[in-house]
Each structure stands twice: as C-alpha cells, then as structure tokens.
Amino acid sequence: MVKSKRLETVLQWMDGHFCLMLLFLSILHLFTRLWLLADIPVGYHGDELAIAYDSLSIARDHVDRYLYKMPIYFKNYGDGMNVGYIYLTAPLFKLFGYSKLALRLPAAIVGLVLLIFGSLTAKEFFRSSKAGLTVGALLTICPIFISMQRFALESPLLLNFWVMSLYFLLRGVHTGKARHYLFSGLLFGYTFYHYALGYVMIPLFFLLYGAYLLYVKKLSLCKYASTVAIAGILAIPLIMEILVNSGHLPELRFTYLSFPKLDAYRGVEFSLSHIPKNLYLIKNLFTYDWLEYTGVPEFGCMYYMSIPLILFGQACLISEAVSSIRKRIYNPLCCALAMELSIIMIVFILDNPTDSRAYCLYYPFTVCIAAAIRFIYRKARTWALLPVFAYAAVFASFMYFYFNIYPVKYAVQVNFEPMEIYKSLETFIAKDHLTDWDTAVYIDTEKETSNVELQVLLCLQASAFEWHRVQKYGYVRNIHFLTYSSDLDRGNSSFIVENTDEAFKRKLTEAGYEAVDSTEWYTLYK
C-alpha cells in the first residue's frame, strides 16, 4: 500500500510537470543521437552519399547533380528522391561547409519533432500526460528510432512531420478551432515532400479518419475539408511531378524550379499480388530484417520484450475502437488506429517492403505499448513498474552495445558504402601526391561506378557542372574513371588500384610504375 502511494505521488508529480519531463527526454534524445554522430554508423548509406552531393550542389549552384534548377523531386540514381532532407541540409552546407556531421545533423535534430509532438499527440490520444510521456520515452530509447535518426535518409522524416500534423488535427477535432485545422493542413502539405509513400498513406488516413469522425458524429465537414484541401493545394507541384513521370506532361524546367523526368518511375511498385509474398514482413516488423541500421539480432527493432506488449496493446486499442463505433462515441485512439491501418494497407502491397520503408508503423506500436502499460497500471499499479525497469535495463545495455560493439561488428552493412575511395583520395591529396593537375590519375575499380564518382566528386567538392564532364568524358579535373585497363602506356599518369587487385598491381610494376603510397584499401602507383 505504501509503495502504491509513493508511486501515485511520483506519477502525480510527473503529470504536473509534463514539460519538465519532456525537456529531460529531449536532453536524453539529443545525447543518444549526437554522440559520435559522424562516426556511427560507419560509412555512408548509398542515399546518404547522394544527399551529401546534391545538398552541396544546391547550396553552391542551386542545381542538383543533373543540373536541374531547384528540382521538386531529385533524380538521384534514376529512380528519384524526395526533396525534404536535401533542402534541410543545403543551408547547413552553405553556412558551415560540407562535413559528415552537418550532413547527419538534420536527422538528429528533426528527430526532436517526433519526440515532442509524438508525446503531445499520445497525450491527446489517451487524454493522459503519463501515457504521453510513456510514448515519448519509447521514442527516445528504442533501437529503430535511435538508429534511423543518426544518418541522412529521407524516409524517417515522413513520420516526424506526419505526427506533428496529426497533433494539430487532433486539437482541431477536440477544440473545434479553425486555426488548428488550418495549421494541420499546412503541415500535412509540407509532410508530402519528405517521402513518396506519404502520397498514398496520408490520403488514405484522411479517408479512414474522416469516415470514422462522420460515423460518430464528430466531423466538422468544412473544417476537416479545409485541412485536406490545403494539404492538396500544397501538393500540386508533386502531382505535376507524377504527371510528368506517368507521361501525361513533358519534363518541365522553369527559371527557378524543375520537374525532372526520372529514368525509372516507381509508381508500378504497388500491387495486391504482393500481399502473399510480403507476409514475412509481419515477423520482421517485430524482430529485425536484413538492414542492420533498423534493428540488429541482439536487440531487434523495438526490443524483444516489446512484442507481447505491442500485441496486447493492439488488442486494447481494437477493443476501444469497437466500443466507440458501437456506441458512436468519439475516442481519439481511433485516430491512431486509422494511421496504423493506412500504413499497413500500403506497406503490404509494396514490392519488397522493409522495416525501413515501414518505419511509420513504429509510432503506432509505441502507442500500443503505452496502452498495454496503462492496462497493467489500472489492474495492479505496482506491476506497471516492471516494464519501466526492464526498459531502463535493456536501454542501458543497448547504449553500451551501440557505441562500443556495433561500429565494429557492423562496420560493413547492406546499402552502406565504406568510402574507401574518398578516404584514400583524401589521404593522397593531403600528402601532396596528387597536386600536379597535369598528371592524369586513373582510378581502376570494379565497384558500382556511380558511388565511386560521387565519392571522388565529394572529396574534391567538385561542382555539378564538373560532374557532367564525368558523364560525357569520363573524368573530373585530372581524375579519370576506369573499370579495367590493360593499356598502361598513358604518358604522365598515376593509377589508384584496389589492394585486392593483385593482377593489375603486378602489371603496373612490370610496366615500370612504383607504389608511392597506400591506405588500407588502395595503393597509388606513379
């Protein structure tokens, strides 16, 4: 009884100091995201490398690497990339210059949007500060949120701004104030520019949540329609981009804006026929998949102890939704279910979905965990401390693992580029081996050409106009790109060769070239 009273006192204090607790979580959040940010994860994600170079090009010349003026959608490797992250990063490069820290900083800082508004939105869902702080704590300590907010990637930003938009929509439904609906519409419109799956997830959410509000007689039709209309108006440039890439409009280039035609249009990825083969995703969502940056076998995406809590909490939410629909009484938790259902319906019809592409689903999962803990608290208050202590222990264990073991064990990851060319070239330039611009330097590599080119361009900080020289002539400044060459008679030249390519190194030695410097990955021959 005494323990129960003490617990109640602590919880009442937390209820009365919601902002202070949120500040504490924000400090913890920033520490877990900013500590060794430039070093972990190791290397660059493939899209991160492209974001780095396009952000640098936008900052300097207001064009992407294909010379599109301020594109509404980036061409990337041919299949496109949303503009949100790049336009957040470009001003940082303009102010502070290019660095890996500046590249990853938006991911860490914008992650605060998810923490703050995720907590506030959960507070609206449950009408409880304790539940809001529970969700906020989970957003701070769970592996997938920590990992995905530590490198430059477009997909996590969709959830961050979706939840922010959702908060103002819930406030609008609760208070009836038009300004909340207006601000929500503006934010939803902005959210569309962060990840393409939002193009279909958010309209589907509008439909599901609007239908529910209509059924329980909570829908303010004009105000709700204004939210949808404002979001739709702001999305008009994206609709034009879709029309360009579906063949209904030609490629459009204006003085200050471009609508690129992509090499590969990904609108064909959606099909109901994908559902049977995508059932594997159910297991992966609760555990981990082949992308180590979303979750590792040691801890999973949300910690393995979360699985029963998510499932039980899901049952609680469904039960409340059924009761709400039967009685036609509004329950804000149905908004969380509408969000979850809209994500599930889209993710499972994708071609080859991953935990990364289903990232938005992990916010409803935190809501489910909060619902489960709330149920336990109501039945036996002291037992609710068990998951709290368990999460604290597993979080501490994960922190030690992530900052000490993870960068060694997972130094090489799927979709990550170790940046050997970049680091080697940087070393050779620093030692004045490549300062003679009259000397042609040939890079012989069997790696994916686009990544090699981007590494060289980023190291040289060459402009997008120089990148086009690569596309047309196969070189930038005095750096030439080869896949393999048996012709070693190239006059005044040097070769940068992979250390594992013994055959080509032997040819160079036989032709009179000497190794003058080397790194862990490459050797420079002159």
Side-chain angles (χ1 to χ4, degrees):
M1 180 65 71
V2 175
K3 287 183 179 180
S4 181
K5 286 183 178 179
R6 286 178 180 174
L7 175 62
E8 192 63 33
T9 301
V10 171
L11 292 176
Q12 284 178 357
W13 183 89
M14 290 172 61
D15 264 342
H17 297 81
F18 178 83
C19 292
L20 185 62
M21 292 302 298
L22 201 55
L23 176 61
F24 168 75
L25 289 175
S26 298
I27 294 170
L28 182 60
H29 173 281
L30 288 174
F31 172 77
T32 58
R33 274 61 169 183
L34 295 178
W35 181 252
L36 298 177
L37 181 61
D39 301 318
I40 304 173
V42 176
Y44 281 61
H45 187 279
D47 283 342
E48 188 175 30
L49 181 58
I51 287 171
Y53 188 69
D54 278 332
S55 297
L56 189 62
S57 296
I58 290 291
R60 255 193 340 205
D61 302 312
H62 308 292
V63 296
D64 73 349
R65 65 185 189 268
Y66 297 94
L67 301 185
Y68 287 101
K69 190 80 169 181
M70 302 298 287
I72 207 69
Y73 197 80
F74 284 85
K75 197 170 182 179
N76 197 21
Y77 295 112
D79 55 357
M81 177 183 287
N82 286 85
V83 301
Y85 200 104
I86 292 172
Y87 286 140
L88 286 173
T89 308
L92 292 178
F93 285 1
K94 187 73 173 178
L95 289 172
F96 307 111
Y98 164 75
S99 71
K100 195 174 182 181
L101 179 61
L103 172 64
R104 291 181 168 179
L105 199 57
I109 299 302
V110 176
L112 275 176
V113 171
L114 180 59
L115 167 60
I116 294 170
F117 285 94
S119 302
L120 291 171
T121 301
K123 185 180 177 183
E124 292 291 320
F125 284 155
F126 292 97
R127 299 188 178 99
S128 164
S129 296
K130 291 186 287 288
L133 291 172
T134 300
V135 168
L138 292 166
L139 293 172
T140 302
I141 69 171
C142 285
I144 190 166
F145 298 115
I146 294 173
S147 299
M148 293 288 282
Q149 291 171 8
R150 288 185 58 92
F151 67 98
L153 197 64
E154 55 172 346
S155 56
L157 298 188
L158 171 62
L159 177 60
N160 297 355
F161 293 107
W162 186 348
V163 170
M164 187 180 185
S165 310
L166 200 58
Y167 170 71
F168 288 99
L169 180 59
L170 283 168
R171 293 296 299 160
V173 172
H174 179 68
T175 65
K177 293 181 179 178
R179 68 172 183 267
H180 290 136
Y181 284 99
L182 172 64
F183 202 47
S184 176
L186 292 171
L187 286 170
F188 270 118
Y190 175 67
T191 302
F192 281 126
Y193 288 84
H194 290 285
Y195 193 44
L197 290 184
Y199 303 173
V200 282
M201 287 179 179
I202 292 174
L204 185 55
F205 163 76
F206 280 146
L207 182 64
L208 293 173
Y209 187 47
Y212 167 74
L213 291 174
L214 179 63
Y215 185 78
V216 298
K217 300 179 181 179
K218 188 69 175 176
L219 180 67
S220 175
L221 184 59
C222 290
K223 293 175 182 176
Y224 192 81
S226 70
T227 295
V228 177
I230 291 168
I233 290 169
L234 291 178
I236 287 175
L238 290 174
I239 295 170
M240 292 174 63
E241 175 67 20
I242 291 170
L243 292 174
V244 166
N245 283 283
S246 59
H248 295 91
L249 284 178
E251 182 175 81
L252 302 172
R253 293 192 186 218
F254 302 107
T255 305
Y256 299 108
L257 196 64
S258 302
F259 297 81
K261 177 75 172 178
L262 306 180
D263 298 334
Y265 178 51
R266 293 195 286 185
V268 296
E269 285 185 304
F270 302 96
S271 173
L272 293 175
S273 64
H274 294 150
I275 294 176
K277 70 175 184 177
N278 286 344
L279 295 179
Y280 70 86
L281 186 61
I282 298 173
K283 170 184 172 293
N284 290 355
L285 285 169
F286 290 105
T287 55
Y288 60 92
D289 62 13
W290 57 90
L291 302 175
E292 294 94 345
Y293 53 83
T294 55
V296 291
E298 290 85 350
F299 293 90
C301 292
M302 293 279 290
Y303 301 123
Y304 294 117
M305 61 167 286
S306 298
I307 296 174
L309 293 172
I310 293 171
L311 295 175
F312 184 74
Q314 188 74 71
C316 292
L317 294 189
I318 292 172
S319 175
E320 293 206 31
V322 170
S323 175
S324 170
I325 291 170
R326 281 179 178 173
K327 298 175 182 178
R328 302 187 80 166
I329 297 174
Y330 174 68
N331 186 332
L333 281 168
C334 290
C335 179
L337 281 175
M339 179 184 186
E340 184 179 31
L341 188 57
S342 66
I343 298 166
I344 290 172
M345 290 172 69
I346 299 304
V347 166
F348 276 88
I349 63 172
L350 281 175
D351 183 24
N352 192 32
T354 61
D355 290 351
S356 173
R357 302 183 80 184
Y359 177 73
C360 290
L361 199 53
Y362 288 96
Y363 178 72
F365 281 1
T366 65
V367 175
C368 290
I369 295 171
I373 293 175
R374 181 183 68 163
F375 180 89
I376 296 169
Y377 174 76
R378 286 175 173 177
K379 296 297 180 181
R381 294 191 174 185
T382 53
W383 284 95
L385 288 174
L386 284 178
V388 174
F389 289 135
Y391 272 116
V394 75
F395 169 62
S397 177
F398 178 71
M399 283 291 91
Y400 176 81
F401 172 86
Y402 189 80
F403 290 113
N404 294 278
I405 301 171
Y406 177 83
V408 177
K409 187 173 182 178
Y410 297 101
V412 179
Q413 295 189 43
V414 176
N415 293 341
F416 268 77
E417 174 57 61
M419 301 293 284
E420 296 107 327
I421 287 283
Y422 180 99
K423 293 174 183 176
S424 300
L425 202 57
E426 191 176 46
T427 299
F428 300 150
I429 291 173
K431 293 181 178 180
D432 292 331
H433 291 312
L434 304 178
T435 53
D436 181 4
W437 297 111
D438 292 329
T439 301
V441 180
Y442 294 90
I443 297 180
D444 192 279
T445 178
E446 295 179 358
K447 292 183 178 295
E448 185 180 348
T449 307
S450 58
N451 277 347
V452 171
E453 292 171 355
L454 284 175
Q455 287 184 56
V456 172
L457 290 161
L458 202 56
C459 183
L460 299 177
Q461 297 202 19
S463 72
F465 302 97
E466 291 180 281
W467 188 83
H468 269 258
R469 192 175 301 144
V470 175
Q471 302 302 296
K472 190 171 183 179
Y473 302 110
Y475 70 91
V476 56
R477 299 182 188 174
N478 66 330
I479 308 294
H480 297 249
F481 299 94
L482 308 175
T483 52
Y484 188 83
S485 173
S486 57
D487 178 15
L488 303 181
D489 184 17
R490 294 179 178 269
N492 188 25
S493 61
S494 301
F495 285 83
I496 297 176
V497 187
E498 283 189 277
N499 290 339
T500 55
D501 193 349
E502 295 296 337
F504 193 47
K505 287 163 68 176
R506 189 163 50 250
K507 283 186 177 182
L508 286 169
T509 303
E510 293 170 355
Y513 286 85
E514 293 183 1
V516 296
D517 199 3
S518 65
T519 64
E520 182 181 347
W521 311 280
Y522 284 87
T523 300
L524 173 64
Y525 283 84
K526 285 191 173 182

